[in-house]
Amino acid sequence: KKFTFKVTGDGLGNEDKRILVDESGTKLTRVNGFEMTDGKTVTLKNVEAGMHVNVTEVDRYDYDVTATNYSTPATPNSNGEKTFNYEVESRDGKLVLVDSATKSVVANNHIIVTNTPATTSLTVTKATKKDGVADNNNQQEFEFTLTLGSNSKGVTWKKSDDTPGSVTGTSCTFKLKGGESITFSGINVNDDVTVTEKDYTSEHYTT
């Protein structure tokens, strides 16, 4: 996958002086955006003490994004941009990069941006009624099937009685009694999820 970034900041000036290049030495458009794939590195040249370096990843709602010295995923702005703020300082006669929040030194002046697929959870609760009134005392088990998209891997579940489990592949079958629930965690935010209940009309139930 390709990921789009921008590198901006106070003091960086125009792109002719603070040049951003890829591993082959090709100049990139750091302000208007450039693309990177997994494992690739770019280098910002001619930095000086006092400059601010803001690394922004563009429009990645589907990923949690962290960066060196920022272990908490960045909160996106209204455009989906996630920004990490750094500064260039002179310490002991050397230029070092520090994060703007804690002033901690970035090892080797090397910012590593990590993308982890964003996930969410889903809770299914079974409620039963008798003569139009809630009635969860009949101990009838109802069977369901959960179907996930191909991007959701490592999904786990826990029932309301604290019974845990995991989903193998992209689907699983589970049973709930009236009043019980089950929560699935680790579902990829881009995946479609379908929950289907078995037909119980022959037993005089409607869903």
Side-chain angles (χ1 to χ4, degrees):
K1 288 186 176 182
K2 293 181 178 180
F3 302 88
T4 302
F5 290 85
K6 296 188 294 185
V7 177
T8 58
D10 294 342
L12 291 185
N14 64 56
E15 297 195 53
D16 291 328
K17 187 171 184 179
R18 316 300 172 196
I19 300 172
L20 188 73
V21 296
D22 63 15
E23 293 163 311
S24 69
T26 301
K27 182 181 176 182
L28 304 172
T29 56
R30 61 174 175 81
V31 175
N32 292 326
F34 58 95
E35 292 184 335
M36 295 183 70
T37 55
D38 185 38
K40 296 299 182 181
T41 300
V42 298
T43 302
L44 181 63
K45 294 181 174 293
N46 304 323
V47 295
E48 300 174 6
M51 292 181 173
H52 291 245
V53 180
N54 304 322
V55 178
T56 299
E57 187 166 5
V58 180
D59 193 16
R60 296 312 314 206
Y61 290 104
D62 51 344
Y63 283 88
D64 289 329
V65 185
T66 57
T68 301
N69 289 18
Y70 288 90
S71 58
T72 302
T75 301
N77 64 15
S78 59
N79 295 320
E81 298 178 339
K82 301 177 180 181
T83 299
F84 302 92
N85 302 308
Y86 300 88
E87 299 173 19
V88 181
E89 293 186 357
S90 178
R91 295 189 183 182
D92 299 324
K94 296 181 180 179
L95 290 181
V96 296
L97 190 67
V98 302
D99 67 85
S100 297
T102 67
K103 305 300 182 181
S104 297
V105 174
V106 174
N108 302 314
N109 291 342
H110 186 185
I111 300 169
I112 300 174
V113 179
T114 302
N115 289 63
T116 304
T119 61
T120 188
S121 61
L122 169 71
T123 298
V124 180
T125 301
K126 181 60 184 177
T128 55
K129 292 182 178 181
K130 182 178 181 180
D131 299 326
V133 180
D135 177 15
N136 295 323
N137 298 317
N138 59 12
Q139 298 302 300
Q140 167 78 36
E141 285 190 323
F142 298 85
E143 183 176 302
F144 297 81
T145 299
L146 172 80
T147 304
L148 302 166
S150 60
N151 293 317
S152 291
K153 297 177 174 61
V155 174
T156 60
W157 56 263
K158 180 179 283 190
K159 293 183 69 173
S160 49
D161 63 2
D162 287 333
T163 302
S166 58
V167 178
T168 301
T170 57
S171 67
C172 76
T173 300
F174 60 95
K175 294 181 179 180
L176 297 174
K177 298 176 183 178
E180 291 185 334
S181 63
I182 185 171
T183 298
F184 296 89
S185 301
I187 299 173
N188 189 288
V189 296
N190 272 340
D191 269 351
D192 292 327
V193 180
T194 303
V195 178
T196 305
E197 185 177 16
K198 185 178 176 180
D199 186 357
Y200 287 94
T201 54
S202 63
E203 299 180 38
H204 308 291
Y205 285 100
T206 58
T207 299

